[in-house]
Amino acid sequence: MKKGFEKRFHAGDIVYWCENRKSGRYGVNYGMVDEQFSDVVCIDLLEKKEIRYVDGVPMDQFETEQKYRKLPKGWTYSTKLFQLEWRIDPEEEKLFQEIKMDQPETIKKAYELGVLVKSDQIFHGHIEVDITKEGFRIIKKYPMWQHHITHISIQSDKVYFTYQEAQKEVEKHVAALERMSNLSEYDWAVELIDQTLKHWKKLQNATEEEVSVYRNWLLSMKHVEEIETRVYSGSIQWKYLKNTKWHNIVL
């Protein structure tokens, strides 16, 4: 079995991974193992317990009102029709502050004490007022175009028991971006060509000699830094960036 894919994790383990936070930013995140399959680990994301209250009712117990009520006397559009508050328990806040990202035992302790919970237990929408000619009601709303991820699956060899292991992967990605920024336009174009040829070689089970023939042909072109390549229907194609038509290479 390939290293990293062996059965290593069990339900309840605190684990780490490197995540792409978009715009080229990488960071370490943590969660709790749900289960592990042969190639992926299923992980529950964790976050701080719910502390919001709607009109004195805990957010996780508040339900959308079904019955409309009469608007209060003197109502205007600036009238507050519900009270949303955050009730912070000093002792729980102290426990939360004691969580150390690189110390999994502190994360596990916070979860066991209820300071951290699984993300799927948190309502990630918002509270708003629904006003019609029938009156008003307070509703929970979750816009259909929004999606909050609470459970993820990650390739087994990319999941770690320690923060430090995941941080090394972060540093590896950042180093790759820094290396890219220092390449010339020509060198970057050659790397992209080599990536295409590597993909083609694998698909066609081609030899190094066959790859070299295509590589030499492409690198003999004018303005290599303006060339892009792809594999299409088993063949290598190329074109200049400013053009739209792709060309097959026949050698």
Side-chain angles (χ1 to χ4, degrees):
M1 178 178 288
K2 183 179 177 182
K3 184 178 180 180
F5 288 89
E6 63 273 11
K7 179 69 174 179
R8 297 182 293 148
F9 305 104
H10 300 88
D13 286 343
I14 299 299
V15 292
Y16 300 87
W17 65 93
C18 166
E19 67 176 9
N20 186 341
R21 295 173 178 171
K22 298 182 179 180
S23 300
R25 295 183 180 277
Y26 293 86
V28 176
N29 203 352
Y30 66 85
M32 179 177 287
V33 173
D34 179 21
E35 57 184 328
Q36 179 183 1
F37 296 103
S38 59
D39 53 351
V40 298
V41 180
C42 298
I43 302 170
D44 289 311
L45 300 184
L46 302 177
E47 59 183 286
K48 193 174 184 180
K49 67 173 289 188
E50 182 65 82
I51 60 172
R52 292 174 296 172
Y53 284 72
V54 183
D55 290 337
V57 179
M59 178 66 79
D60 54 0
Q61 296 178 23
F62 180 82
E63 298 293 340
T64 289
E65 296 178 341
Q66 301 301 314
K67 184 177 180 180
Y68 285 90
R69 292 180 277 161
K70 186 186 80 68
L71 288 167
K73 187 175 181 179
W75 171 85
T76 68
Y77 283 111
S78 60
T79 301
K80 281 190 174 183
L81 296 174
F82 69 92
Q83 183 70 35
L84 181 62
E85 59 180 320
W86 286 257
R87 297 184 182 179
I88 300 175
D89 182 301
E91 186 60 31
E92 290 184 346
E93 185 63 22
K94 180 176 180 295
L95 290 170
F96 180 76
Q97 295 301 326
E98 291 175 354
I99 297 174
K100 304 299 181 184
M101 180 78 164
D102 59 351
Q103 296 177 21
E105 65 275 9
T106 66
I107 298 172
K108 189 66 177 286
K109 178 182 177 182
Y111 176 79
E112 292 173 343
L113 293 175
V115 177
L116 289 179
V117 299
K118 294 179 180 180
S119 290
D120 62 4
Q121 296 179 20
I122 301 294
F123 174 64
H124 295 100
H126 59 272
I127 302 296
E128 66 177 49
V129 182
D130 175 30
I131 299 177
T132 72
K133 292 180 180 179
E134 298 177 10
F136 81 96
R137 60 180 183 145
I138 312 304
I139 64 174
K140 276 183 169 179
K141 194 164 186 180
Y142 200 114
M144 62 184 299
W145 59 87
Q146 292 183 2
H147 179 60
H148 191 91
I149 297 174
T150 62
H151 190 82
I152 61 174
S153 297
I154 302 177
Q155 191 172 300
S156 298
D157 62 337
K158 297 297 182 180
V159 181
Y160 309 100
F161 279 115
T162 68
Y163 175 92
Q164 290 75 14
E165 290 173 292
Q167 180 59 29
K168 284 183 180 180
E169 188 175 333
V170 170
E171 293 168 359
K172 177 182 175 182
H173 286 296
V174 173
L177 294 175
E178 291 174 345
R179 188 190 72 82
M180 181 206 304
S181 70
N182 291 319
L183 292 174
S184 67
E185 293 298 325
Y186 176 86
D187 288 338
W188 176 239
V190 171
E191 281 207 5
L192 294 180
I193 289 172
D194 285 340
Q195 288 176 20
T196 299
L197 293 173
K198 181 179 180 180
H199 179 51
W200 175 79
K201 178 185 177 185
K202 185 175 181 179
L203 286 176
Q204 299 297 322
N205 196 27
T207 64
E208 286 293 342
E209 290 74 18
E210 290 172 319
V211 170
S212 293
V213 171
Y214 282 99
R215 188 175 192 272
N216 292 336
W217 187 90
L218 287 164
L219 298 186
S220 69
M221 299 285 287
K222 294 181 179 179
H223 308 299
V224 171
E225 63 277 8
E226 297 177 14
I227 289 176
E228 61 178 323
T229 56
R230 71 177 185 182
V231 176
Y232 183 77
S233 296
S235 299
I236 301 170
Q237 294 186 327
W238 74 277
K239 74 178 184 68
Y240 283 114
L241 294 172
K242 64 181 180 181
N243 298 332
T244 59
K245 185 177 181 181
W246 288 90
H247 305 279
N248 285 317
I249 302 174
V250 180
L251 299 176

